[in-house]
Amino acid sequence: MEETYLLNVEGVKKKILHGGQGELPKLQDGSKFTFHFQTLKDDFERTVIDDSREAGMPMEIIVGKMFKLEIWETLLSSMRIGEVAEFWCDAIHTGMYALVSRGMRRIAEGRDPLEGQKHRCGMGNMFDYHSTGYDDLDELQRTPQPLIFIMELFRVRGWRGRLPGREQLGQATQLLLLMQVEDPSAYKRDTWAMSKEEKLAAVPVLHSEGNRLVLRREFAQAAAKYQEAVICLRNLQAKEKPWEDGWLKLESLVTPLVLNYCQCQLELGEYYEVLEHTTELLQKHNDNAKAYFKRAKAHAAVWNEREAREDFQRVAHLDPSMAAAVKKELKQLGERMRKKHVEDRKRYQGLFQSSQGL
């Protein structure tokens, strides 16, 4: 995966997940991009909003036809055939996404995408709707936010560029290139493009890789593995009814991964991130002693003495086997707080004496 870099467009970052072939497209009005896409929220779990594979059809955009989400034409123009890229787009570029998604979803459902829409500009139509008819899109309308688009470009028609000549390619490379153009799922896919079965199979592998990296004290890399596994499971959970058997089975896999992720963040000194994710976990599972323990350590690290003591006490109540560890942490917390109070007194005395000397 190539390093993230900025396109020459304000508020956009691009990361190549899988390299394409040939030149960048030299486009003209009427050129048509055919591609698959996935739209994600920019949150820890990278919540999926739309997925063209789930809808069962690729997306097409014709250059110069004033597509409502103008930034997509720019993004696709930066891609080669067969390329898969991830784009982070600031809210300045995503304000129209709810309306675009509404139309695409209606098409996928076999409905008229313009049903009920007045003949006026897209922004005007946005204000006409009290609701898009989809709760998640209504949220996007109310709260514009950055979005992540993962795009896979596999055909450009009306393009005057050229692919590398056969004399420049070996037989194996020629076959790979044909597969990339004709079959957008022919390469080794990242987890975003996996089927349900592939995601389930990937989770224990990612979990194991994360554990291996922890043993090597490569905490940032381990955290990324745990997060990717959580993303796989959350994507699957989104298709289940909350708190029913299927959802609960997936949740039981999510919880230890989130805790492992938080342990890595503790090691990396990202204490506020630990507070965020452990608190979110405890809102669902308020009897999880390990989550309280990690949150307590994060509170202690940022000098939230009262909150740390309360969480440590909950740990000892929920899991008596952790009482010794809690006692040790409370002793260390007391020593750190006493040392801090001494240093604070000295600092205040120094400030007071300095002010008297003025």
Side-chain angles (χ1 to χ4, degrees):
M1 185 180 296
E2 295 189 12
E3 184 179 357
T4 300
Y5 63 91
L6 290 172
L7 286 172
N8 190 26
V9 181
E10 182 182 358
V12 176
K13 295 178 184 179
K14 177 181 178 181
K15 182 189 297 181
I16 295 176
L17 305 181
H18 178 80
Q21 298 286 342
E23 303 171 349
L24 286 174
K26 295 179 175 62
L27 302 171
Q28 57 185 342
D29 284 358
S31 296
K32 182 165 68 174
F33 293 109
T34 305
F35 61 99
H36 272 300
F37 76 94
Q38 192 176 54
T39 304
L40 313 168
K41 286 187 176 181
D42 183 21
D43 57 13
F44 168 72
E45 293 164 347
R46 291 165 63 96
T47 305
V48 178
I49 300 173
D50 288 309
D51 187 335
S52 61
R53 287 183 177 80
E54 291 286 333
M57 65 179 73
M59 182 71 181
E60 293 186 337
I61 289 179
I62 299 175
V63 175
K65 295 298 183 182
M66 298 182 68
F67 183 63
K68 288 178 181 176
L69 202 62
E70 295 179 10
I71 193 63
W72 273 17
E73 189 173 311
T74 302
L75 306 183
L76 290 162
S77 297
S78 76
M79 300 176 67
R80 293 173 167 82
I81 290 178
E83 180 178 320
V84 182
E86 175 179 308
F87 299 92
W88 178 91
C89 295
D90 201 353
I92 59 174
H93 299 296
T94 63
M96 295 298 296
Y97 185 77
L99 281 183
V100 171
S101 176
R102 175 183 183 271
M104 291 188 295
R105 291 183 187 187
R106 288 193 167 204
I107 291 171
E109 294 166 1
R111 300 165 62 191
D112 181 358
L114 301 180
E115 178 185 332
Q117 181 170 308
K118 298 179 180 180
H119 294 286
R120 50 191 297 194
C121 71
M123 191 60 69
N125 276 303
M126 179 179 290
F127 289 113
D128 280 336
Y129 296 123
H130 296 292
S131 171
T132 62
Y134 304 93
D135 291 342
D136 57 339
L137 300 184
D138 289 344
E139 178 193 348
L140 291 182
Q141 281 199 168
R142 288 190 300 267
T143 312
Q145 58 194 268
L147 294 175
I148 296 168
F149 302 112
I150 299 178
M151 294 179 162
E152 176 185 5
L153 179 63
F154 58 94
R155 188 176 300 112
V156 181
R157 291 177 180 166
W159 169 36
R160 292 180 176 176
R162 60 185 179 83
L163 294 173
R166 289 182 177 272
E167 67 279 3
Q168 298 173 284
L169 302 173
Q171 184 175 0
T173 307
Q174 291 179 36
L175 177 59
L176 176 61
L177 178 56
L178 288 171
M179 288 170 67
Q180 287 172 332
V181 174
E182 298 301 327
D183 180 2
S185 60
Y187 59 89
K188 184 181 182 298
R189 292 178 292 176
D190 210 337
T191 52
W192 70 272
M194 289 180 177
S195 67
K196 176 181 178 179
E197 291 74 19
E198 289 169 329
K199 286 176 182 174
L200 285 172
V203 168
V205 175
L206 291 166
H207 197 159
S208 177
E209 289 177 354
N211 293 347
R212 177 177 56 81
L213 289 164
V214 166
L215 292 174
R216 292 165 52 180
R217 301 192 65 78
E218 297 178 15
F219 297 113
Q221 295 89 333
K225 295 295 183 182
Y226 295 137
Q227 182 180 13
E228 189 174 357
V230 170
I231 290 166
C232 285
L233 293 169
R234 290 299 193 206
N235 287 347
L236 294 173
Q237 261 191 326
K239 299 175 177 62
E240 303 285 346
K241 290 185 178 180
W243 302 105
E244 293 195 356
D245 287 347
W247 188 94
L248 288 170
K249 286 178 182 177
L250 293 168
E251 185 70 12
S252 69
L253 299 175
V254 167
T255 299
L257 289 164
V258 173
L259 290 173
N260 287 359
Y261 175 86
C262 288
Q263 182 60 43
C264 291
Q265 297 306 317
L266 282 173
E267 298 287 351
L268 294 167
E270 299 291 344
Y271 304 120
Y272 288 103
E273 185 160 359
V274 175
L275 292 175
E276 176 187 350
H277 294 303
T278 51
T279 298
E280 182 180 346
L281 188 62
L282 288 166
Q283 287 171 350
K284 297 178 183 176
H285 311 287
N286 62 6
D287 60 347
N288 192 301
K290 291 182 179 179
Y292 279 118
F293 189 78
K294 295 184 193 305
R295 190 171 75 171
K297 287 176 70 69
H299 275 308
V302 296
W303 308 106
N304 296 337
E305 182 181 11
R306 179 179 60 81
E307 292 86 348
R309 289 187 180 278
E310 288 177 355
D311 278 353
F312 279 133
Q313 289 166 3
R314 288 192 185 99
V315 173
H317 174 72
L318 288 168
D319 188 352
S321 69
M322 298 181 70
V326 167
K327 184 177 180 181
K328 179 181 176 182
E329 292 289 342
L330 286 171
K331 181 180 179 180
Q332 291 177 350
L333 175 61
E335 291 172 352
R336 289 180 68 241
M337 295 307 300
R338 281 191 292 274
K339 183 178 179 180
K340 182 177 185 294
H341 293 326
V342 170
E343 291 174 350
D344 288 345
R345 280 198 300 271
K346 288 180 179 178
R347 187 179 304 111
Y348 294 145
Q349 287 172 357
L351 290 172
F352 179 71
Q353 291 168 357
S354 298
S355 66
Q356 283 187 324
L358 293 176

